[in-house]
Amino acid sequence: MTQPLVTTEQRAQLLTNGTARASGRGIDPLPVVRLFTPDAHATWLLAALDPVDGDTAWGLVDLGIGMPALGMVKLSDLASIVGPRQQPVMRDRYFSPARTLSEYARLAQRDGSIAD
């Protein structure tokens, strides 16, 4: 059995941040969850979830091609991805954010990938 991409607690925090973002408040939250492909070098640091559809996440996307950027991704799409060795997208159970999303984005764009 595979682990869920986000826990119940993480989903609640993502929705709280998503509600603040949808209301137009300028937020710069800590990422809530780090997702990654163990066999394809892609990473997603997600900070908010659309409160309307509950599926569209916002965060820092690093597809492993040297161009990390802030953007949107559907959790349902991530759940269907498998890498070259048939490994699914996984949640980093040990991730503890060390900086705000904008700081992760600034450093990732400078370095060409998400560090940490």
Side-chain angles (χ1 to χ4, degrees), residues 19-40:
T19 299
R21 193 167 182 272
S23 72
R25 295 204 318 256
I27 64 169
D28 186 18
L30 294 174
V32 175
V33 63
R34 176 184 179 266
L35 303 176
F36 67 99
T37 54
D39 60 351

Side-chain angles (χ1 to χ4, degrees), residues 38-40 82-87:
D39 60 351
V82 293
R85 294 191 197 109
Q86 302 306 305
Q87 295 288 314

Side-chain angles (χ1 to χ4, degrees), residues 5 11 15 46 48-58 72-79:
L5 291 181
R11 178 173 284 282
L15 286 168
L46 303 180
L49 194 59
D50 184 311
V52 175
D53 72 13
D55 187 39
T56 305
W58 170 73
M72 310 289 267
V73 64
K74 290 195 175 290
L75 291 177
S76 57
D77 289 344
L78 293 178

Side-chain angles (χ1 to χ4, degrees), residues 73-114:
V73 64
K74 290 195 175 290
L75 291 177
S76 57
D77 289 344
L78 293 178
S80 68
I81 292 173
V82 293
R85 294 191 197 109
Q86 302 306 305
Q87 295 288 314
V89 172
M90 299 178 72
R91 173 175 35 92
D92 181 347
R93 295 181 292 164
Y94 305 103
F95 175 69
S96 180
R99 54 188 61 91
T100 63
L101 188 64
S102 68
E103 187 64 8
Y104 274 108
R106 184 186 70 77
L107 294 171
Q109 289 164 353
R110 180 193 73 191
D111 299 337
S113 67
I114 297 173

